[in-house]
Amino acid sequence: MPAKDDGSDKEKCLDLFLKIGLDERTAKNTVANNKVTANLTSVIDEAGATDGCSRTVGNFLYTVATKYPANALPHRPTLLQYIVSLKVKTTAQLDAALSFLATTGSENLDLDRFEEACGVGVEVSEEDIKQAVSEVVEENKATILELRYRTNVGELLGHVRKRLPWGDAKVAKQLVDAKLYELLGDRTAADDEKPSRKKKEKPAKVEDKAAPVSTPEKSPEEDVNPFLIFPNPEENFKVHTEVPFSDGSILRCCNTRDLLDKHLKATGGKVLTRFPPEPNGYLHIGHAKAMFIDFGLAKDRDGGCYLRYDDYNPEAEQTEYIDHIEEIVQWMGWKPFKITYTSDYFQELYELAVELIKKGHAYVDHQTPDEIKEYREKKLNSPWRDRPISESLKLFEDMKNGSIEEGKATLRMKQDMQSDNYNMYDLIAYRIKFTPHPHAGDKWCIYPSYDYAHCIVDSLENITHSLCTLEFETRRASYYWLLHALGIYQPYVWEYSRLNVSNTVMSKRKLNRLVTEKWVDGWDDPRLMTLAGLRRRGMTPTAINAFVRGIGITRSDGTLISVERLEYHVREELNKTAPRAMVVLHPLKVVITNLEANSAIEVDAKKWPDAQADDASAFYKIPFSNVVYIEHSDFRMQDSKDYYGLAPGKSVILRYAFPIKCTEVILADDNETILEIRAEYDPSKKTKPKGVLHWVAQPSPGVDPLKVEVRLFERLFLSENPAELDNWLGDLNPNSKVIIPDAYGVSSIQNAKVGDNFQFERLGYFVVDRDSTSEKLVFNRTVTLKGSYSKGGK
């Protein structure tokens, strides 16, 4: 039998996706993701668009394929007909439709309410939008005239959307831009200045090697509150999900009105979420996304977010990790509503397990792990599955009392061994472990599993929105089955895509290997994407949160986000907050021959590009003496037209000081190694060379400048996605950390403290490392001055 031609199938899918108007890159990325490919192919078929459609309709079909709520699949064909018939034709309408269907689930669809909720039949002409734009601009005219082109266009568009929620956002943006031009005229130089700065500093031409960063323009959709997709707590009586059983029956999981009323009475109707890390490792940037969603939703709705340690496994938890998690959550800017532990509920969990047995939904099993695996693969029931309830109750009590050996019995949920969902194959609820618990002590020798404990604790804590990553989506059936079986409150569950960042690994197992096998220097190594590592590297929580918000809360899995996107947000912040200073990494001595050895000229250097002359705090003093140091790379023996550094007979400007001209080069005995440069300075500053160099001077004759250590960090891995490689450790970048032990810095940084950020001119952004001592400062490079992230980049 010939092998299946996967290549041919992918080509057909690619042709189909291009036919509906997807751009080539999106189409190719989609074909590379089997799940999205299958979803999109089904959506195109349901929409009757296999022969192609307009680009707008095609993009909407792609959105449906990646964002459609799983609990409302019966209504997907209906939405698709509204899209292809152009009854749903704007992004705002589609977002509203998806939100409405998510709350409706598989219940009967009220088309009148649906059409009203997403503006079907509401025609908004360009003239209507123009009128709304004129009104908004007129109402905000005073502010616009004051701020000119620094006016927040997103806020103006928000006001327009309030008037015309179904208007075309792109048309509104174009009309707002046109109206601003009509009111303000051409942009001036002042309009391009930063809000808190008056003048943008020009980068030295000598550094102009990397491609320029183009600032991504914010689309109107990006201004939308990302948490609008989530329903309110009082809506949580609708079907969450459907659990099909092998006998043909379907469990439609939802709260009764009585359960929901009790929940709302207990919470006061407030939103309650939870951030539930396992205390078995350090948090990484993926957890930053989880925190943003969990804490962010609670903050947006004036609710609360639990910090809950999922400490159901006594063998993995460590106090070090617990302390780290609490500290890093606060560093990220989040304040827990309450700090709890799964182990706080061990008694309630045990009592509910007894109740589950009494209801005939759990049994004590004696199969070994290998036998359980084999039986699951063959979809066979355990020999002990149908033992009497009284027998399981007695055995479970024996388990609790320590009367049964470890590994000789488990408590399993009686679910559906013939299901198509592997996570319904009688999951384990309790195991025997004769291990003291770090938080609960030695009271227990049986411990609940994640699948048993997580959903019940969500219910006990009255969580309104249980949010997790997409790999848990197949566990939703088990989640709701258990809560339904126990007859207790059911939170609203929603899954989002994991945050996958390029050139790194984020699985705890791989991170643990990197740390324990000494490939890196601990959990806070600045090359790691742990939050402790990012902090030590000098990245700020506000920049990390801005990065996460920019990515959005999506269900599109498999997308690899370039680390340069994170670095872009870090540069944006540090450019505004990090004072400037000068450091020379590889010093080359320059002797100024027309300046006396015992004299020095004090010059003012700017901490900020827009420093005002009358603001003394915006400057720092540096001496210009007859011995200065420049970068070795800023000198060449042979000059060229495209070179702006120093060369024999050539002049450059020493930043904030004077022009100098190279008059002589002192070489070593090998006639190649440059030992020293001789130069003359122009005290009149009449010389106007193009090159501008950073430098550091001797503070007094024979005294070296401030000596500092500088650590330059690059990507930890050479490949974009090392996690996919069999030999992923072989992909480690041997040049990911370069230590420069004897750099020279200006004296203004000598009192810097651990965590202080600086921009070292022409070199990048740096932070003071914890390895610094009173004798020597150590600086970590956070990011370079330039990156290649641009609009449309991932």
Side-chain angles (χ1 to χ4, degrees), residues 277-279 309-314 317 341-344 346 437 439:
E278 293 180 55
Y309 293 105
D310 248 350
D311 60 343
Y312 52 86
N313 183 358
E317 282 73 46
Y341 296 76
T342 295
S343 56
D344 293 339
F346 276 178
H437 192 282
H439 187 69

Side-chain angles (χ1 to χ4, degrees), residues 411-429:
L411 182 70
R412 294 178 65 182
M413 295 177 270
K414 192 183 288 187
Q415 295 169 303
D416 184 3
M417 289 297 295
Q418 307 304 313
S419 172
D420 292 331
N421 185 342
Y422 188 82
N423 285 298
M424 288 294 287
Y425 291 178
D426 288 12
L427 299 179
I428 291 174

Side-chain angles (χ1 to χ4, degrees), residues 274-284 287 290 307-326 328-329 340-342 437 448-451 453-454 469 471-472 475 498 508-509 523:
R274 81 289 177 272
F275 174 59
E278 293 180 55
N280 59 2
Y282 275 53
L283 301 185
H284 55 63
H287 293 105
L307 168 56
R308 183 205 304 156
Y309 293 105
D310 248 350
D311 60 343
Y312 52 86
N313 183 358
E315 297 174 336
E317 282 73 46
Q318 292 184 24
T319 303
E320 173 192 357
Y321 301 139
I322 291 173
D323 294 341
H324 156 74
I325 290 169
E326 184 175 350
I328 215 75
V329 166
T340 60
Y341 296 76
T342 295
H437 192 282
S449 67
Y450 170 88
D451 292 294
H454 191 77
T469 47
E471 66 262 34
F472 293 96
R475 285 174 155 158
R498 289 182 60 141
K508 285 185 178 178
R509 182 180 62 82
W523 286 99

Side-chain angles (χ1 to χ4, degrees), residues 93-197:
Q93 286 182 307
L94 181 57
D95 288 343
L98 293 174
S99 178
F100 183 89
L101 292 171
T103 57
T104 300
S106 60
E107 292 184 356
N108 291 333
L109 181 61
D110 186 327
L111 288 180
D112 290 338
R113 288 186 58 221
F114 171 76
E115 291 186 355
E116 181 183 357
C118 51
V120 172
V122 178
E123 293 295 332
V124 181
S125 67
E126 186 170 330
E127 194 60 39
D128 295 331
I129 300 175
K130 187 179 293 185
Q131 177 64 30
V133 168
S134 297
E135 292 172 359
V136 168
V137 169
E138 186 61 33
E139 290 172 6
N140 295 273
K141 189 173 182 179
T143 302
I144 294 170
L145 290 173
E146 178 186 352
L147 298 177
R148 289 183 56 78
Y149 285 103
R150 293 197 295 267
T151 300
N152 188 331
V153 175
E155 287 186 8
L156 298 180
L157 290 169
H159 292 310
V160 173
R161 278 198 300 274
K162 285 181 180 178
R163 287 171 163 78
L164 301 172
W166 313 119
D168 190 310
K170 290 183 179 178
V171 172
K173 175 69 164 59
Q174 293 167 358
L175 291 173
V176 167
D177 288 344
K179 199 69 179 176
L180 290 179
Y181 182 79
E182 177 186 322
L183 184 62
L184 304 174
D186 291 329
R187 298 177 76 97
T188 66
D191 291 324
D192 293 324
E193 295 164 0
K194 295 281 185 182
S196 58
R197 308 275 181 256

